[in-house]
Amino acid sequence: MTPPRLPFSRQPLRHVQDRLATGLITAGGIGVLLAILAISVFLIWETLPLLAIGDTFSLAKLSPLAWGTLKAALAAMLFATPIALGAAMYSALFMSARLRSRLKPTLELMEAVPGVVIGFIAGLLLAPWVERHLASTLMMIIWLPLSAALAGYLWYRTAASVRQRLPLSWAGLWFVPWLAGMAVLAMWLAPIIEQHWLGGDLRRLLDQRYGLDYATRNALIVGIAMGFAVIPSIYSLAEDALADVPPTLMEGAQALGASRWQALWKVALPTAGPGVFSAVMIGAGRAVGETMIVLMASGNTALFSASPFEGLRSLSASIAIELPEASPGGMTYHLLILAALALFIFTFMVNTLAEIVRQHLRRRYQRLGSTL
Amino acid sequence: MKRYPIRRLKKHRRVLSITGWLMAGWLLMAGNLAWGQPASVSGTLGAVGSDTMAGLVLRWGEALKARFPDINLQFQASGSASAPTALVAGTTRLGPMSRPMTETERQQFIVRYGYPPLELRVARDALVVVVHRHNPIDTLTLQQVDAIFSTSLACGAPQAIRRWSTLTSTTDWPYGRIALHGRNLASGTHGLFQARALCDGGFRLDISEHPGSSAVVAAVGESFNAMGYAGYNHLTPMVRALRLVDEHGDAVAPDERSIQQGNYPLSRDLYLYVNLPPNESLPSVEQAFLALIFSEEGQQIVRAAGFVPLPKHLRDAQRQHP
């Protein structure tokens, strides 16, 4: 039974505050929606002249940029997804709670590193270093994942006494020195391998035998730098999804005799799959929209090339470089606005998809929670 | 330095009376001869235009402010293209530009005011083609530059040059393709290089585009097989500027003398456009500013900002103008 409604002046202060807050929040939400709507209307309005001309010129100009955007995002996702998802699975299901409570906030803090700073480091330090040590870099990219598998195999084969000293739930700590050691080994071995098997200079070999051009700022650099920027968001969301799998499910699977590995693959991942998927989509959305890292690390060459050693030019970087000097109303201006519209639609779709999938997952968890 | 005696004289005007007035008048005249403006100047000095010249205009403004502390400086550096717009709109009387006005821009001004803007050349600059400092290559012809940077070969080169082996006799180093670096589409440097070095042809697509000349120079300095173009004032010890062959067949290095004389093929003028109605004179602040630019001190500032001072005859000819 609801109490009779009092006149406004007689209501307790708490109620007034509640209603005020609700009103403000609703107004804020509507305001944000209106702003997004206004942005899309503005972009469409400004591109109308181009669409009215209906020429293929703008399409020909934009397609290398769209390809560059996709190439950069793909490179970043190739670098970031395995690392971020691996880290999420490990920290959600295997890591000791104490280590996890410290590591997770630290990794999420990485998200706060501004794109400009990452781009600056990638363009001015990483790119020249990789150019000088190309063989070492490629060797590390191949060798480090293999050495991780090797570490797992060695750990499995060691005596139980050693295994207790190096428990799996603290692997996050003892695995780091191992990786560092392997990186040093790769650095030391790479020049020797280059000298004996690759004719002394890998870049010359690539050029002469395969006709591959190497640009200082290329998709490889962009992939590493932007992958670094995307890892925290993918990790954080995927970890949440995995950690929220109802513990009763995992316990049930293990009670029926499944190993932890089996429980992960057969129970946790299928259940949290949509959440992991939406984490990857959000990461992809960020990779597509990211501007400064691509701008500073990619060389901005509008090429149609699939080579990881050649540069690229993304939609967002083009807008950032050209818009300040494009005179309003000119051809370049309308082209850039069209680029902005394409970018807007793309990120909007990716993010919406990710959000819908996440809502689905939340409802599924609620159902699971109520039936068990 | 020039105004203190005047002030002191003014203070003791009653005592010095006629002598004071005479001396003050004489000093004013001397000031007029050296500077071309009354000795006490105040007001707001505004300019809108080139970002290449931003540092230069700011240095001139600061030198002027050091002399006349009552002056307010308002500079807006948003690219050469913004200068004609601001001049036509009347938001400024001074428009620094790193390229001459186009005919349409000039016409817009004339339509609005009925007279053309006053065009002053205030300094010289050049575009340089740079390579890594250890690169053995020394000289290029303009046709070679075109063959390296363009797809259109508008300057008459027989074929495009893509590899170092086509340019140098040393087969050992540098090798492979020439990695190209340049400026972004909207910059004046990009446009000028296109007009002067590529004979208005089209750039190659695989030129890395950087948002500033310093970034181009830094990128070339890091990479052994790179080549790029940049403004003369951005040269660093990391790179070497190539000599270019002029129309007489002589290889000209981009140094101060050859740029000043205009022998270096890619030298250019930096402009200042002034909204000056015929038969009128400028406000005293702007007069003082122009006088400073063409004075010895102003041209030293040009050198300090990394550009090249005007040759003396050009300077003297323009000093008469305002």
Side-chain angles (χ1 to χ4, degrees):
Chain A
M1 196 184 106
T2 47
R5 201 158 190 184
L6 297 169
F8 188 77
S9 56
R10 300 268 310 275
Q11 279 180 15
L13 186 62
R14 190 162 46 84
H15 286 193
V16 177
Q17 279 176 338
D18 274 358
R19 289 173 65 190
L20 203 66
T22 316
L24 278 178
I25 290 167
T26 315
I30 291 172
V32 169
L33 281 179
L34 282 181
I36 291 176
L37 205 66
I39 289 173
S40 49
V41 166
F42 165 76
L43 288 175
I44 291 170
W45 180 254
E46 287 285 331
T47 43
L48 276 182
L50 263 193
L51 301 177
I53 304 168
D55 61 348
T56 49
F57 168 75
S58 51
L59 206 67
K61 275 274 203 192
L62 279 187
S63 45
L65 306 185
W67 165 246
T69 305
L70 288 180
K71 187 178 166 190
L74 195 72
M77 295 313 284
L78 277 179
F79 179 79
T81 316
I83 296 178
L85 290 189
M89 284 178 215
Y90 173 73
S91 85
L93 301 170
F94 299 106
M95 197 186 268
S96 85
R98 244 177 80 203
L99 192 58
R100 180 169 172 245
S101 68
R102 282 175 179 72
L103 271 187
K104 194 171 180 231
T106 317
L107 242 171
E108 281 166 349
L109 214 74
M110 259 172 62
E111 212 169 356
V113 178
V116 186
V117 175
I118 296 178
F120 180 80
I121 291 172
L124 267 72
L125 298 179
L126 184 67
W129 190 89
V130 169
E131 188 180 19
R132 279 197 301 276
H133 304 92
L134 183 62
S136 309
T137 311
L138 291 183
M139 175 112 181
M140 263 197 263
I141 290 175
I142 297 167
W143 176 238
L144 287 186
L146 286 179
S147 77
L150 182 68
Y153 178 72
L154 286 179
W155 186 82
Y156 176 70
R157 292 301 296 252
T158 45
S161 57
V162 182
R163 241 188 282 179
Q164 258 169 8
R165 291 264 185 80
L166 303 171
L168 187 61
S169 54
W170 285 84
L173 282 190
W174 57 256
F175 189 53
V176 173
W178 167 266
L179 272 189
M182 285 296 134
V184 171
L185 185 71
M187 292 271 299
W188 178 69
L189 272 179
I192 299 175
I193 291 177
E194 195 178 12
Q195 203 63 44
H196 286 271
W197 283 289
L198 302 174
D201 191 336
L202 181 59
R203 281 183 59 185
R204 181 174 291 201
L205 185 84
L206 283 177
D207 178 54
Q208 285 172 351
R209 188 159 311 163
Y210 306 105
L212 273 179
D213 195 14
Y214 185 89
T216 312
R217 296 188 171 126
N218 52 42
L220 179 72
I221 305 288
V222 174
I224 293 174
M226 201 150 71
F228 190 75
V230 169
I231 283 175
S233 36
I234 300 181
Y235 163 80
S236 175
L237 289 170
E239 215 263 6
D240 285 344
L242 283 167
D244 287 348
V245 171
T248 44
L249 280 182
M250 294 292 284
E251 282 161 13
Q254 283 178 337
L256 290 173
S259 68
R260 275 205 278 196
W261 185 250
Q262 284 169 329
L264 166 68
W265 279 104
K266 303 280 180 191
V267 178
L269 272 184
T271 319
V276 174
F277 173 77
S278 85
V280 173
M281 289 309 275
I282 295 231
R286 180 162 180 205
V288 166
E290 177 61 54
T291 308
M292 285 320 285
I293 297 177
V294 193
L295 177 70
M296 298 173 90
S298 74
N300 299 311
T301 45
L303 293 175
F304 258 126
S305 104
S307 161
F309 300 128
E310 280 190 75
L312 53 93
R313 184 185 184 113
S314 79
L315 290 168
S316 52
S318 297
I319 297 169
I321 299 184
E322 304 296 355
L323 198 56
E325 294 196 58
S327 57
M331 191 68 189
T332 324
Y333 179 78
H334 287 304
L335 259 179
L336 291 175
I337 295 281
L338 187 61
L341 183 67
L343 203 59
F344 180 78
I345 291 172
F346 201 88
T347 44
F348 192 79
M349 271 168 34
V350 167
N351 280 315
T352 311
L353 184 64
E355 199 51 41
I356 290 172
V357 170
R358 235 151 59 95
Q359 296 295 337
H360 249 305
L361 183 73
R362 194 170 297 158
R363 277 203 294 279
R364 181 196 288 193
Y365 280 162
Q366 274 167 2
R367 268 207 313 280
L368 281 174
S370 60
T371 50
L372 286 170
Chain B
M1 173 183 136
K2 281 191 179 88
R3 44 191 291 241
Y4 284 117
I6 301 171
R7 260 203 189 155
R8 214 181 302 136
L9 285 172
K10 277 182 181 165
K11 247 185 215 166
H12 302 280
R13 198 157 48 190
R14 235 178 295 168
V15 184
L16 292 172
S17 189
I18 301 166
T19 331
W21 275 111
L22 279 175
M23 279 192 70
W26 179 80
L27 270 171
L28 267 174
M29 267 173 66
N32 260 323
L33 285 178
W35 273 77
Q37 89 279 317
S40 167
V41 171
S42 64
T44 301
L45 184 66
V48 180
S50 163
D51 55 346
T52 310
M53 294 167 69
L56 180 61
V57 175
L58 203 65
R59 281 176 197 232
W60 275 331
E62 276 165 2
L64 197 67
K65 199 174 164 64
R67 206 163 295 244
F68 308 116
D70 296 338
I71 291 176
N72 283 321
L73 304 174
Q74 280 181 5
F75 293 137
Q76 197 183 324
S78 35
S80 288
S82 63
T85 326
L87 282 171
V88 170
T91 48
T92 181
R93 295 175 72 99
L94 302 176
M97 291 177 72
S98 61
R99 57 171 174 82
M101 265 193 192
T102 63
E103 202 43 51
T104 24
E105 285 166 346
R106 184 180 295 273
Q107 281 308 322
Q108 278 170 357
F109 186 93
I110 294 174
V111 166
R112 170 75 177 76
Y113 291 104
Y115 52 86
L118 174 63
E119 177 185 282
L120 297 169
R121 289 149 198 248
V122 292
R124 282 245 156 104
D125 187 21
L127 298 185
V128 289
V129 179
V130 291
V131 292
H132 189 268
R133 61 195 176 284
H134 293 152
N135 200 314
I137 197 169
D138 182 60
T139 310
L140 286 179
T141 63
L142 280 178
Q143 278 194 356
Q144 280 175 324
V145 172
D146 180 43
I148 291 168
F149 281 94
S150 84
T151 49
S152 52
L153 305 177
C155 296
Q159 63 191 28
I161 298 175
R162 281 301 293 133
R163 307 184 70 84
W164 284 104
S165 50
T166 329
L167 281 178
T168 52
S169 50
T170 55
T171 51
D172 187 37
W173 186 87
Y175 56 82
R177 293 193 201 165
I178 307 172
L180 299 171
H181 298 268
R183 284 298 313 275
N184 54 312
L185 181 68
S187 83
T189 310
H190 179 280
L192 190 75
F193 195 78
Q194 188 167 25
R196 300 277 290 277
L198 305 192
C199 306
D200 283 319
F203 275 99
R204 294 188 60 85
L205 278 180
D206 55 358
I207 301 176
S208 290
E209 289 188 6
H210 298 265
S213 272
S214 305
V216 175
V217 168
V220 172
E222 281 158 5
S223 178
F224 296 119
N225 56 356
M227 183 186 282
Y229 63 89
Y232 170 75
N233 56 332
H234 293 280
L235 279 180
T236 67
M238 301 287 286
V239 297
R240 205 155 46 75
L242 295 180
R243 300 200 290 170
L244 296 180
V245 178
D246 64 6
E247 65 264 38
H248 307 300
D250 301 325
V252 187
D255 53 25
E256 191 176 312
R257 205 163 147 269
S258 64
I259 295 170
Q260 192 171 53
Q261 302 302 324
N263 296 333
Y264 179 71
L266 297 182
S267 52
R268 65 167 164 180
D269 286 326
L270 301 180
Y271 295 86
L272 181 70
Y273 284 91
V274 187
N275 182 355
L276 176 66
N279 307 322
E280 274 183 46
S281 60
L282 284 169
S284 58
V285 191
E286 272 123 41
Q287 260 183 42
F289 188 65
L290 294 185
L292 168 71
I293 289 175
F294 296 115
S295 71
E296 190 56 44
E297 186 194 347
Q299 293 295 308
Q300 284 302 329
I301 292 173
V302 168
R303 187 174 281 128
F307 299 104
V308 175
L310 291 172
K312 195 155 172 26
H313 63 90
L314 204 58
R315 203 170 93 199
D316 291 339
Q318 294 187 98
R319 210 201 312 243
Q320 313 306 325
H321 238 304

